[in-house]
Short mmCIF file of all heavy atoms in Angstrom, two decimals:
data_model
loop_
_atom_site.label_atom_id
_atom_site.label_comp_id
_atom_site.label_asym_id
_atom_site.label_seq_id
_atom_site.Cartn_x
_atom_site.Cartn_y
_atom_site.Cartn_z
N SER U 1 242.77 194.56 191.65
CA SER U 1 242.41 194.62 193.06
C SER U 1 241.54 195.84 193.32
O SER U 1 241.56 196.80 192.56
CB SER U 1 243.68 194.71 193.92
OG SER U 1 244.34 195.93 193.65
N VAL U 2 240.77 195.77 194.40
CA VAL U 2 239.95 196.91 194.83
C VAL U 2 240.37 197.22 196.27
O VAL U 2 240.39 196.32 197.12
CB VAL U 2 238.44 196.57 194.77
CG1 VAL U 2 237.61 197.78 195.19
CG2 VAL U 2 238.04 196.13 193.38
N GLN U 3 240.73 198.48 196.53
CA GLN U 3 241.25 198.85 197.85
C GLN U 3 240.70 200.19 198.31
O GLN U 3 240.02 200.88 197.56
CB GLN U 3 242.78 198.93 197.79
CG GLN U 3 243.43 197.57 197.57
CD GLN U 3 244.86 197.73 197.10
OE1 GLN U 3 245.17 198.59 196.29
NE2 GLN U 3 245.73 196.88 197.60
N PHE U 4 241.04 200.54 199.55
CA PHE U 4 240.69 201.86 200.08
C PHE U 4 241.96 202.66 200.27
O PHE U 4 242.94 202.16 200.83
CB PHE U 4 239.95 201.72 201.41
CG PHE U 4 238.56 201.18 201.25
CD1 PHE U 4 238.31 199.83 201.41
CD2 PHE U 4 237.52 202.01 200.91
CE1 PHE U 4 237.03 199.32 201.25
CE2 PHE U 4 236.23 201.52 200.74
CZ PHE U 4 236.00 200.17 200.90
N GLY U 5 241.95 203.90 199.82
CA GLY U 5 243.13 204.76 199.97
C GLY U 5 242.99 205.68 201.16
O GLY U 5 242.24 205.39 202.11
N LYS U 6 243.68 206.80 201.14
CA LYS U 6 243.62 207.78 202.22
C LYS U 6 242.20 208.31 202.37
O LYS U 6 241.50 208.50 201.37
CB LYS U 6 244.57 208.94 201.94
CG LYS U 6 246.01 208.64 202.34
CD LYS U 6 246.85 209.87 202.21
CE LYS U 6 248.29 209.55 202.61
NZ LYS U 6 249.18 210.67 202.34
N LYS U 7 241.80 208.55 203.61
CA LYS U 7 240.46 209.08 203.92
C LYS U 7 239.36 208.15 203.43
O LYS U 7 238.25 208.58 203.12
CB LYS U 7 240.28 210.49 203.33
CG LYS U 7 241.26 211.49 203.90
CD LYS U 7 241.02 212.88 203.39
CE LYS U 7 242.05 213.83 203.98
NZ LYS U 7 242.07 215.11 203.30
N GLY U 8 239.70 206.87 203.30
CA GLY U 8 238.69 205.86 202.95
C GLY U 8 238.15 205.97 201.53
O GLY U 8 237.04 205.54 201.25
N ILE U 9 238.97 206.53 200.61
CA ILE U 9 238.52 206.64 199.21
C ILE U 9 238.73 205.30 198.51
O ILE U 9 239.86 204.82 198.43
CB ILE U 9 239.29 207.77 198.48
CG1 ILE U 9 238.90 209.13 199.06
CG2 ILE U 9 239.00 207.73 196.98
CD1 ILE U 9 239.71 210.28 198.55
N PRO U 10 237.66 204.69 197.99
CA PRO U 10 237.85 203.40 197.30
C PRO U 10 238.46 203.62 195.91
O PRO U 10 238.18 204.60 195.24
CB PRO U 10 236.42 202.85 197.18
CG PRO U 10 235.54 204.05 197.23
CD PRO U 10 236.26 205.11 198.01
N TYR U 11 239.33 202.69 195.51
CA TYR U 11 239.89 202.75 194.16
C TYR U 11 240.18 201.33 193.69
O TYR U 11 240.26 200.40 194.49
CB TYR U 11 241.16 203.61 194.12
CG TYR U 11 242.34 203.03 194.87
CD1 TYR U 11 243.27 202.22 194.21
CD2 TYR U 11 242.56 203.29 196.22
CE1 TYR U 11 244.36 201.69 194.87
CE2 TYR U 11 243.64 202.77 196.89
CZ TYR U 11 244.54 201.97 196.22
OH TYR U 11 245.62 201.43 196.88
N LEU U 12 240.31 201.19 192.35
CA LEU U 12 240.66 199.87 191.82
C LEU U 12 241.88 199.99 190.93
O LEU U 12 242.16 201.05 190.36
CB LEU U 12 239.48 199.23 191.07
CG LEU U 12 238.84 199.93 189.87
CD1 LEU U 12 239.66 199.73 188.62
CD2 LEU U 12 237.45 199.35 189.63
N ASN U 13 242.64 198.88 190.86
CA ASN U 13 243.79 198.80 189.97
C ASN U 13 243.45 197.86 188.83
O ASN U 13 242.85 196.81 189.06
CB ASN U 13 245.02 198.23 190.69
CG ASN U 13 245.47 199.13 191.80
OD1 ASN U 13 245.37 198.76 192.96
ND2 ASN U 13 245.93 200.32 191.48
N THR U 14 243.85 198.23 187.61
CA THR U 14 243.59 197.37 186.47
C THR U 14 244.87 196.68 186.02
O THR U 14 245.96 197.05 186.44
CB THR U 14 243.02 198.18 185.29
OG1 THR U 14 244.02 199.09 184.85
CG2 THR U 14 241.77 198.94 185.69
N TYR U 15 244.71 195.72 185.11
CA TYR U 15 245.86 194.93 184.63
C TYR U 15 246.85 195.79 183.85
O TYR U 15 248.00 195.41 183.69
CB TYR U 15 245.33 193.80 183.72
CG TYR U 15 245.01 194.26 182.31
CD1 TYR U 15 245.81 193.87 181.25
CD2 TYR U 15 243.96 195.13 182.05
CE1 TYR U 15 245.54 194.30 179.97
CE2 TYR U 15 243.69 195.57 180.79
CZ TYR U 15 244.49 195.16 179.74
OH TYR U 15 244.24 195.61 178.47
N ASP U 16 246.41 196.97 183.35
CA ASP U 16 247.34 197.81 182.58
C ASP U 16 247.79 199.03 183.37
O ASP U 16 248.06 200.09 182.82
CB ASP U 16 246.71 198.22 181.24
CG ASP U 16 245.41 198.98 181.42
OD1 ASP U 16 244.90 199.00 182.56
OD2 ASP U 16 244.90 199.55 180.43
N GLY U 17 247.86 198.88 184.70
CA GLY U 17 248.49 199.90 185.54
C GLY U 17 247.65 201.14 185.80
O GLY U 17 248.18 202.15 186.25
N ARG U 18 246.36 201.10 185.53
CA ARG U 18 245.52 202.27 185.80
C ARG U 18 244.97 202.21 187.22
O ARG U 18 244.73 201.12 187.76
CB ARG U 18 244.31 202.32 184.85
CG ARG U 18 244.69 202.55 183.42
CD ARG U 18 243.49 202.33 182.51
NE ARG U 18 243.90 202.26 181.12
CZ ARG U 18 243.94 203.33 180.31
NH1 ARG U 18 243.59 204.51 180.76
NH2 ARG U 18 244.34 203.21 179.07
N THR U 19 244.75 203.38 187.82
CA THR U 19 244.09 203.47 189.11
C THR U 19 242.84 204.31 188.91
O THR U 19 242.94 205.45 188.44
CB THR U 19 245.01 204.14 190.15
OG1 THR U 19 246.20 203.36 190.24
CG2 THR U 19 244.36 204.21 191.50
N ILE U 20 241.68 203.78 189.22
CA ILE U 20 240.43 204.51 189.02
C ILE U 20 239.73 204.65 190.37
O ILE U 20 239.50 203.65 191.07
CB ILE U 20 239.52 203.76 188.00
CG1 ILE U 20 240.26 203.63 186.67
CG2 ILE U 20 238.21 204.49 187.81
CD1 ILE U 20 239.66 202.67 185.70
N ARG U 21 239.42 205.90 190.75
CA ARG U 21 238.80 206.17 192.06
C ARG U 21 237.28 206.06 191.98
O ARG U 21 236.70 206.23 190.92
CB ARG U 21 239.19 207.57 192.53
CG ARG U 21 240.71 207.72 192.66
CD ARG U 21 241.08 209.16 192.89
NE ARG U 21 240.77 209.59 194.24
CZ ARG U 21 240.69 210.87 194.61
NH1 ARG U 21 240.87 211.82 193.72
NH2 ARG U 21 240.43 211.19 195.85
N TYR U 22 236.70 205.82 193.12
CA TYR U 22 235.25 205.72 193.28
C TYR U 22 234.58 204.79 192.24
O TYR U 22 233.72 205.21 191.49
CB TYR U 22 234.60 207.11 193.18
CG TYR U 22 235.07 208.06 194.27
CD1 TYR U 22 235.86 209.15 193.98
CD2 TYR U 22 234.72 207.82 195.60
CE1 TYR U 22 236.30 210.01 194.97
CE2 TYR U 22 235.15 208.68 196.60
CZ TYR U 22 235.94 209.76 196.28
OH TYR U 22 236.39 210.60 197.28
N PRO U 23 235.01 203.52 192.19
CA PRO U 23 234.33 202.60 191.26
C PRO U 23 232.99 202.15 191.84
O PRO U 23 232.71 202.39 193.02
CB PRO U 23 235.30 201.42 191.17
CG PRO U 23 236.00 201.42 192.48
CD PRO U 23 236.07 202.85 192.94
N ASP U 24 232.18 201.49 191.04
CA ASP U 24 230.92 200.91 191.51
C ASP U 24 231.24 199.89 192.61
O ASP U 24 232.13 199.05 192.44
CB ASP U 24 230.24 200.20 190.32
CG ASP U 24 228.84 199.72 190.66
OD1 ASP U 24 228.69 199.04 191.69
OD2 ASP U 24 227.90 200.02 189.90
N PRO U 25 230.53 199.96 193.76
CA PRO U 25 230.88 199.03 194.87
C PRO U 25 230.71 197.55 194.52
O PRO U 25 231.24 196.68 195.21
CB PRO U 25 229.91 199.43 195.99
CG PRO U 25 229.05 200.52 195.47
CD PRO U 25 229.49 200.90 194.10
N LEU U 26 229.97 197.25 193.43
CA LEU U 26 229.77 195.84 193.06
C LEU U 26 230.99 195.26 192.33
O LEU U 26 231.10 194.05 192.16
CB LEU U 26 228.55 195.70 192.15
CG LEU U 26 227.19 196.05 192.79
CD1 LEU U 26 226.09 196.02 191.76
CD2 LEU U 26 226.88 195.09 193.92
N ILE U 27 231.91 196.14 191.86
CA ILE U 27 233.07 195.65 191.11
C ILE U 27 234.10 195.06 192.08
O ILE U 27 234.46 195.68 193.08
CB ILE U 27 233.72 196.80 190.30
CG1 ILE U 27 232.71 197.38 189.30
CG2 ILE U 27 234.96 196.31 189.57
CD1 ILE U 27 233.20 198.61 188.56
N LYS U 28 234.53 193.85 191.77
CA LYS U 28 235.52 193.16 192.61
C LYS U 28 236.69 192.71 191.73
O LYS U 28 236.64 192.83 190.50
CB LYS U 28 234.88 191.94 193.27
CG LYS U 28 233.74 192.28 194.22
CD LYS U 28 234.26 192.82 195.55
CE LYS U 28 233.16 193.17 196.53
NZ LYS U 28 232.59 194.49 196.37
N ALA U 29 237.74 192.15 192.37
CA ALA U 29 238.91 191.66 191.62
C ALA U 29 238.47 190.58 190.63
O ALA U 29 237.51 189.84 190.88
CB ALA U 29 239.93 191.08 192.58
N ASN U 30 239.17 190.52 189.48
CA ASN U 30 238.93 189.59 188.36
C ASN U 30 237.74 189.97 187.47
O ASN U 30 237.55 189.37 186.42
CB ASN U 30 238.74 188.13 188.83
CG ASN U 30 240.00 187.60 189.44
OD1 ASN U 30 241.09 187.82 188.93
ND2 ASN U 30 239.88 186.93 190.57
N ASP U 31 236.92 190.95 187.90
CA ASP U 31 235.85 191.42 187.01
C ASP U 31 236.48 192.21 185.87
O ASP U 31 237.66 192.54 185.91
CB ASP U 31 234.87 192.33 187.77
CG ASP U 31 234.10 191.57 188.85
OD1 ASP U 31 234.20 190.34 188.87
OD2 ASP U 31 233.42 192.23 189.65
N THR U 32 235.68 192.53 184.86
CA THR U 32 236.18 193.33 183.74
C THR U 32 235.37 194.62 183.66
O THR U 32 234.15 194.59 183.79
CB THR U 32 236.03 192.53 182.42
OG1 THR U 32 236.93 191.43 182.46
CG2 THR U 32 236.38 193.39 181.22
N ILE U 33 236.08 195.74 183.48
CA ILE U 33 235.37 197.01 183.30
C ILE U 33 235.52 197.47 181.86
O ILE U 33 236.50 197.15 181.19
CB ILE U 33 235.91 198.11 184.27
CG1 ILE U 33 237.40 198.35 184.05
CG2 ILE U 33 235.61 197.76 185.70
CD1 ILE U 33 237.95 199.56 184.75
N ARG U 34 234.52 198.21 181.40
CA ARG U 34 234.59 198.81 180.06
C ARG U 34 234.95 200.27 180.28
O ARG U 34 234.20 201.03 180.88
CB ARG U 34 233.24 198.67 179.37
CG ARG U 34 233.19 199.36 178.04
CD ARG U 34 231.90 198.96 177.34
NE ARG U 34 231.60 199.87 176.27
CZ ARG U 34 230.76 199.60 175.29
NH1 ARG U 34 230.15 198.45 175.26
NH2 ARG U 34 230.51 200.47 174.34
N LEU U 35 236.15 200.64 179.81
CA LEU U 35 236.69 201.97 180.10
C LEU U 35 236.54 202.87 178.88
O LEU U 35 236.98 202.51 177.78
CB LEU U 35 238.17 201.83 180.47
CG LEU U 35 238.85 203.08 181.01
CD1 LEU U 35 238.50 203.29 182.46
CD2 LEU U 35 240.35 202.98 180.86
#
């Protein structure tokens, strides 16, 4: 999922429990990131 946290900070959650802040705005749910 991609969400907004406190103070409007965007972050995404991955399938393995990671939370990454300020992702690329084009990334949406079900996409795959290379970490």
Side-chain angles (χ1 to χ4, degrees):
S1 65
V2 182
Q3 292 163 320
F4 289 96
K6 277 187 180 173
K7 298 184 181 167
I9 292 172
Y11 67 92
L12 58 80
N13 296 113
T14 65
Y15 80 110
D16 59 349
R18 293 170 192 268
T19 301
I20 301 167
R21 300 170 75 197
Y22 298 111
D24 187 308
L26 295 174
I27 300 174
K28 297 284 180 275
N30 295 317
D31 294 351
T32 292
I33 59 169
R34 176 170 162 162
L35 189 79

